[in-house]
């Protein structure tokens, strides 16, 4: 199971692997050119030059692609594997065209380091095994090197090269272990987030139900008794008390709705946000408009509702605005919330000061959004404040 975060990290690792391999490949081309000019027969230069030209062309293309293409294009390990195989073929071909050359043989020692950027253990093992076989064949079949060095030294060179290949394979292995650990930590974080969401919503539900079934019912009963008494004997103080109880019951109903809106489960997030904006507008006197395009229910709905509730609460308390807007839409499995107003505005420094002064509501929701893989950011506007939340939906 891979989350969006894990896929993004893997994509960045693939990109960095391609970038590292591209830089190393430039060094290999330079060394191969030096080996051709110094350590091989000039009669073989034309064929070697053809091979090096093709390899240099691939090298330049890979270098440009690795440092100019966006990371989302590298959604698989195939480019890394393909280039690794090209490296093996190019270096082996160069060695075949350079019989009796020690420097071309040394160029092959760079292959394990280049394959070490491979992200798949099985693929890396295959390429390294091929590289070791090719190196061994190059040493044993060379008409000059093996007879001159002797069996013992030749075997030692092959063993050293095998050790280098094994070291490269260990690099891939430990890198994959780190990736697996990252996947486990991500899964653990998601489970913890799910448990936290469940516990938080359960607590809000419990408080909402306690208020609804306790104080609200007492207030409603007292209001009903006074209303019944006033029908028999009108009294001005009791009229005032009845109005106060009416306001108290309205506030309690709004509190139960904001704590845990039943409408969120019954008819969805869109209706809950509409009701929330209506309540906030009536309470604050700010004209709040909504633009909602959110068709399907999702597991992140409680987080989205909580963030919108906090943002509207901040608008009512701090913005000094006359109008505000709430937009909610979904694009490419990303839910986006935009809450804007025409008030005094807020900057990143002001938000930091509020946090330092103990205003932790928005900070806690930002932490919750980020834990779910989303972002909460302040958009610069010439007038007023504009906060945006982007949160991946959960499948």
């Amino acid at each position: 199971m891979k989350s969006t975060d894990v896929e993004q990290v893997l994509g960045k690792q693939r990109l960095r692997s391609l970038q590292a391999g591209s830089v190393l490949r430039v060094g290999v081309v330079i060394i191969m050119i030096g080996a051709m000019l110094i350590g091989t027969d000039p009669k073989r230069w034309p064929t070697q030059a053809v091979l090096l030209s093709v390899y240099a062309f691939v090298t330049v293309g890979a270098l440009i692609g690795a440092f100019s293409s966006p990371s989302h294009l590298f959604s698989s390990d195939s480019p890394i594997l393909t280039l690794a195989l090209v490296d093996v073929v190019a270096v082996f071909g160069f060695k075949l065209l350079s019989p009796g050359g020690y420097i071309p043989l040394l160029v092959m020692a760079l292959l394990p380091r280049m394959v070490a950027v491979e992200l798949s253990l099985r693929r890396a093992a295959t390429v390294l095994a091929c590289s070791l076989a090719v190196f061994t064949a190059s040493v044993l079949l060379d008409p000059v090197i093996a007879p001159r060095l002797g069996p013992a030294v030749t075997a030692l060179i092959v063993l050293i090269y095998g050790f280098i290949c094994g070291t490269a394979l260990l690099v891939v292995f430990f890198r994959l272990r780190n990736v697996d650990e990252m996947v486990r930590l991500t899964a653990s974080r998601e489970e913890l987030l799910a448990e936290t969401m469940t516990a938080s919503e359960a607590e809000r539900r419990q408080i909402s139900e306690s208020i609804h079934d306790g104080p609200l019912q007492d207030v409603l009963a007292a209001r009903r008794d006074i209303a019944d008494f006033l029908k028999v004997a009108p009294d001005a103080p009791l009229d005032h008390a009845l109005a106060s109880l009416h306001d108290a019951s309205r506030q309690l109903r709004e509190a139960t709705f904001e704590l845990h809106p039943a409408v969120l489960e019954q008819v969805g997030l869109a209706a809950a946000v509409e009701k929330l904006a209506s309540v906030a507008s009536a309470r604050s006197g700010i004209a709040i408009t909504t633009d909602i395009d959110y068709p399907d229910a999702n597991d992140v709905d409680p987080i989205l509702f909580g963030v919108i509730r906090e943002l509207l609460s901040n608008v009512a308390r701090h913005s000094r605005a006359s109008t505000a807007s709430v937009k909610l839409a979904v694009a490419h499995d990303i839910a986006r919330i935009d809450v804007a107003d025409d008030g005094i505005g807020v900057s990143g420094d002001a938000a930091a000061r509020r946090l330092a002064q103990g205003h932790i509501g928005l900070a806690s929701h930002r932490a919750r959004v980020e834990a779910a893989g989303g972002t909460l950011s302040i958009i610069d506007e010439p007038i007023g404040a504009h906060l945006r939340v982007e949160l991946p939906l959960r499948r």
Side-chain angles (χ1 to χ4, degrees):
M1 175 180 179
K2 294 183 179 180
S3 69
T4 304
D5 288 343
V6 175
E7 287 296 340
Q8 291 177 349
V9 171
L10 290 178
K12 290 181 180 179
Q13 284 195 355
R14 294 186 189 102
L15 179 59
R16 290 169 183 168
S17 297
L18 282 169
Q19 291 173 345
S22 299
V23 174
L24 288 173
R25 203 167 287 110
V26 173
V28 171
V29 171
I30 295 174
I31 293 173
M32 290 172 70
I33 293 174
M36 181 186 74
L37 298 176
I38 298 173
T40 63
D41 186 352
K43 296 180 180 179
R44 300 181 179 273
W45 287 1
T47 53
Q48 292 174 339
V50 172
L51 176 64
L52 281 176
S53 298
V54 175
Y55 189 48
F57 178 79
V58 174
T59 298
V60 173
L63 188 67
I64 295 174
F67 285 94
S68 63
S69 299
S71 58
H72 67 79
L73 295 179
F74 307 111
S75 57
S76 68
D77 297 339
S78 299
I80 301 176
L81 175 64
T82 301
L83 290 173
L85 293 175
V86 169
D87 295 331
V88 174
V89 172
V91 174
F92 178 50
F94 183 71
K95 181 62 187 71
L96 288 178
L97 297 174
S98 310
Y102 290 97
I103 298 179
L105 188 65
L106 293 177
V107 174
M108 298 191 69
L110 297 173
L111 280 177
R113 178 63 189 89
M114 298 176 69
V115 176
V117 301
E118 169 68 45
L119 295 178
S120 169
L121 186 63
R122 183 172 61 182
R123 294 174 179 175
T126 301
V127 175
L128 287 169
C130 293
S131 177
L132 178 59
V134 167
F135 181 87
T136 304
S138 299
V139 172
L140 295 179
L141 299 178
D142 192 282
V144 177
I145 294 178
R148 182 175 296 180
L149 295 179
V153 177
T154 301
L156 180 60
I157 292 175
V158 172
L159 287 176
I160 292 174
Y161 190 79
F163 175 78
I164 295 173
C165 291
T167 303
L169 192 62
L170 282 177
V171 171
V172 178
F173 173 75
F174 285 115
R175 179 176 297 173
L176 287 175
R177 283 191 60 183
N178 292 336
V179 172
D180 291 339
E181 183 65 23
M182 179 188 64
V183 172
R184 286 194 294 270
L185 289 175
T186 301
S188 176
R189 185 195 70 177
E190 291 179 348
E191 292 175 0
L192 180 61
L193 175 63
E195 292 175 0
T196 302
M197 289 170 55
T198 301
S200 176
E201 292 308 313
E203 183 179 9
R204 287 181 176 276
R205 180 196 293 269
Q206 183 178 5
I207 295 174
S208 176
E209 291 176 350
S210 297
I211 293 175
H212 181 274
D213 296 339
L216 178 59
Q217 298 304 317
D218 294 339
V219 169
L220 291 175
R223 191 181 73 178
R224 184 175 58 252
D225 292 342
I226 294 176
D228 292 341
F229 180 80
L230 288 175
K231 292 178 181 178
V232 179
D235 186 275
L238 287 180
D239 286 335
H240 180 72
L242 183 62
S244 298
L245 288 174
H246 180 76
D247 289 339
S249 63
R250 176 182 55 81
Q251 293 174 8
L252 286 173
R253 289 185 186 277
E254 292 176 356
T256 58
F257 167 77
E258 292 181 350
L259 280 170
H260 184 79
V263 68
L264 185 62
E265 295 180 351
Q266 295 172 357
V267 294
L269 180 62
V273 173
E274 294 279 3
K275 175 69 180 296
L276 181 64
S278 175
V279 170
S281 179
R283 180 185 300 166
S284 63
I286 300 173
I288 302 176
T289 60
T290 58
D291 181 5
I292 301 175
D293 183 12
Y294 193 85
D296 300 322
N298 194 268
D299 289 345
V300 300
D301 288 358
I303 297 180
L304 297 175
F305 180 83
V307 171
I308 295 174
R309 176 181 58 214
E310 183 64 29
L311 293 180
L312 288 179
S313 176
N314 285 339
V315 169
R317 290 197 302 256
H318 307 296
S319 71
R320 303 178 191 172
S322 58
T323 62
S325 63
V326 179
K327 294 182 180 180
L328 173 61
V330 177
H332 307 295
D333 286 338
I334 302 291
R336 172 183 285 185
I337 300 170
D338 287 282
V339 176
D341 62 67
D342 62 352
I344 59 176
V346 60
S347 64
D349 293 338
R353 285 196 300 271
R354 289 180 187 175
L355 178 60
Q357 294 168 359
H359 299 283
I360 62 173
L362 188 59
S364 64
H365 283 285
R366 168 177 281 179
R368 195 176 183 188
V369 167
E370 291 177 348
T375 58
L376 191 154
S377 55
I378 299 174
I379 308 298
D380 292 333
E381 297 285 359
I383 298 176
H386 181 182
L387 284 88
R388 173 174 294 168
V389 176
E390 292 181 321
L391 186 64
L393 299 179
R394 292 179 177 269
R395 294 185 177 275

